[in-house]
Amino acid sequence: MDIDSIRPILSGLIGAFVAVWLTSRWEKSLPKGLAGKSNEDVTHQHKLTVLIANALFFTGLGIGLAMYKLGGYLSTDMTPLLVGFGFSGFMPILALVAIPLVRGQRPIEALYAFSVGQKSPMAVTYGILGVGAAMLPFGLYRLGA
């Protein structure tokens, strides 16, 4: 077994270790509630919304992967990456705002519950999703070009 065949496994293990370490550190610094409600109450109240947002995140990634596999794009073409990461950033944010509004709830609570579910600060969670959402117009433009 040569190093080139092991490198992706080592990279994945190191990435997983860093992710677990970061979330364990961040979890200790997260607020214990929002607007007088505990984290448990907020997450329970928005459980379905968070589930839908997570499903939409993975659907966006699936769109990008499907474009590479089924769309005939080369592995060096950035269009599927931009579209997939764009949808995986935009669709959860849209769901986390729209669903509570339709249900007569506060979107900030759903956004907070999603961040608590990810065990990361809101700035990190929505920084990553925001970067993804910002890629969507570029990906859609490249699709049309």
Side-chain angles (χ1 to χ4, degrees), residues 5-7 11-13 20-21 29 32 35 42-43 46 61 69 72 81 96 98 103 105-106 113 115 118 126 132 145:
S5 63
I6 298 174
R7 190 178 315 170
S11 176
L13 289 173
V20 169
W21 177 77
S29 66
K32 301 298 179 214
V42 174
T43 54
H46 296 281
L61 293 179
K69 296 292 183 187
L81 176 70
L96 291 166
R103 296 174 74 186
Q105 298 170 326
R106 294 179 39 200
S115 182
Q118 306 309 312
Y126 297 105

Side-chain angles (χ1 to χ4, degrees), residues 97-119:
V97 172
I99 294 171
L101 286 175
V102 169
R103 296 174 74 186
Q105 298 170 326
R106 294 179 39 200
I108 189 66
E109 291 180 0
L111 293 164
Y112 178 80
F114 183 77
S115 182
V116 168
Q118 306 309 312
K119 297 181 181 156

